[in-house]
Amino acid sequence: MQAFGKFSTNFDIEYISEQYIYIPQADEIMDVEQLEKMLQKKRKTVAGTIFLYNPTLSPVGYNNNSKLASQGYLFDGKYCELNFDKNCNLFASSIKDGYRGKLIEIKYLFNLNKADIEPTPILEEFDADLDKYTSNQLTRYDKELNYHDYLNIRLSGKFVFFGSGNKFDRHHKNIIAYARNIAAQAAKLGKEISFIYDNNHDAKESQELAYFIPPVATGKLKEVRANAFKKAFSSYPPSIVKIG
C-alpha cells in the first residue's frame, strides 16, 4: 500500500488538505504522476472514503518531530508520498481483496496536522470556531483548510467508513453537531455507511450520534479494534461491525 497527500499552511499553522491511499494489485509501485492520472477519473478509481479524527503525517524524507516548514518543506500544492502512520499500517494489513487497484480517500474531522490535540485547549478553539463557521467572523483556524462545509462536502466512491472518534466532550456542542452533520450528510448523499461500534450504543444509535470507534488503539484494545476493522473491510463495500 502507498499513501499520498497534499499539505497546506496558513499563518504558520499546517494542515493536510488531501490524502489518498492506494491498494496495489500485486507488488506494483505507483508514482505521483500515476496518482494524478487516476484522480482524473475519480468515479472509476476511488472506491470510497475513510473518515478519521485528525492527522499526524509527514512526507517521505520528513518527520513529525517538528513543523514541516522548519524542516524546509515547500508547500507547493503538489502531491507527495507519505510516511506511514499507525492508521496506514493498519490499512495496509487489512484492506486487500475487493479494493485492489483502487484509491481510498482519507478525510479528517479536523485537518490540523498535529499530534495529541484532544487534551489541549485546541478543542476549545475548534468549538468556538465552529460556532462562527457560518458567519463572517474570523476563526482561529482556517475555515477551508481545517473544517468541512458539510452541506457541500464532496465524497467520491460508494462508501464512507467512519473511524472519526467517539469521545466528544459534552460541553463541545458545536463539535458534536459538526460530527453528526457530516455523518448525516454522507448518508443523505447515498453513501454506504460503515463503522465499528461497541456495547455503549447499537448500530443505529451509533450512526445517529456519530459514535464511531477509532480503528487504532493501544493496550488491550489494539488487537480487538484492528480485528473489527479488518472484518469490516473483508467485504466491499465495508460493513458495520460490532467489537467483541
Side-chain angles (χ1 to χ4, degrees):
M1 195 195 85
Q2 292 173 269
F4 299 88
K6 285 183 181 181
F7 294 88
S8 299
T9 185
N10 190 20
F11 294 108
D12 199 34
I13 300 174
E14 299 179 353
Y15 309 89
I16 190 159
S17 50
E18 292 185 50
Q19 184 185 350
Y20 292 89
I21 57 174
Y22 175 65
I23 314 301
Q25 292 279 12
D27 296 325
E28 80 270 24
I29 302 296
M30 186 168 67
D31 58 25
V32 169
E33 184 177 350
Q34 291 170 309
L35 170 71
E36 291 174 338
K37 287 181 179 179
M38 289 188 73
L39 290 175
Q40 291 174 6
K41 301 176 180 179
K42 280 188 176 183
R43 289 187 178 181
K44 293 183 178 180
T45 60
V46 179
T49 302
I50 296 176
F51 233 108
L52 302 174
Y53 194 76
N54 91 291
T56 308
L57 292 164
S58 59
V60 171
Y62 300 82
N63 60 59
N64 297 318
N65 298 328
S66 60
K67 288 187 174 183
L68 296 178
S70 68
Q71 299 176 56
Y73 179 78
L74 298 177
F75 293 87
D76 55 9
K78 296 180 180 179
Y79 288 103
C80 56
E81 190 164 359
L82 305 177
N83 296 313
F84 275 22
D85 61 356
K86 291 179 180 180
N87 287 304
C88 284
N89 287 331
L90 176 59
F91 300 160
S93 65
S94 303
I95 307 175
K96 297 178 182 178
D97 293 340
Y99 302 86
R100 295 187 186 279
K102 297 288 188 178
L103 295 165
I104 297 176
E105 185 170 13
I106 311 297
K107 286 185 178 292
Y108 299 89
L109 284 184
F110 307 109
N111 293 327
L112 176 66
N113 193 43
K114 184 179 177 66
D116 302 322
I117 68 170
E118 291 191 49
T120 71
I122 291 176
L123 290 189
E124 300 290 341
E125 295 171 339
F126 284 177
D127 201 62
D129 274 0
L130 289 168
D131 189 42
K132 304 172 186 174
Y133 187 85
T134 57
S135 72
N136 292 322
Q137 298 179 69
L138 292 176
T139 53
R140 170 71 176 84
Y141 297 90
D142 191 287
K143 284 184 178 181
E144 293 185 5
L145 294 180
N146 195 47
Y147 307 105
H148 297 280
D149 177 1
Y150 72 91
L151 289 175
N152 296 300
I153 194 168
R154 294 183 179 181
L155 297 169
S156 300
K158 188 174 183 179
F159 70 86
V160 179
F161 177 91
F162 281 101
S164 47
N166 60 306
K167 295 182 179 178
F168 304 117
D169 290 344
R170 292 180 182 178
H171 68 284
H172 291 149
K173 298 186 184 301
N174 296 308
I175 292 177
I176 293 170
Y178 172 68
R180 292 178 182 175
N181 285 336
I182 289 173
Q185 185 67 10
K188 186 176 180 180
L189 291 172
K191 304 301 178 182
E192 296 279 351
I193 306 300
S194 59
F195 49 88
I196 58 177
Y197 68 103
D198 59 19
N199 288 325
N200 287 299
H201 300 283
D202 63 25
K204 183 180 179 181
E205 290 171 338
S206 295
Q207 185 168 341
E208 290 173 350
L209 299 172
Y211 184 89
F212 303 125
I213 306 295
V216 170
T218 57
K220 63 182 181 180
L221 293 175
K222 180 179 180 180
E223 187 173 350
V224 173
R225 291 194 190 175
N227 287 338
F229 179 84
K230 187 173 183 178
K231 184 177 179 180
F233 274 86
S234 65
S235 62
Y236 175 79
S239 58
I240 298 171
V241 173
K242 184 176 182 180
I243 295 174

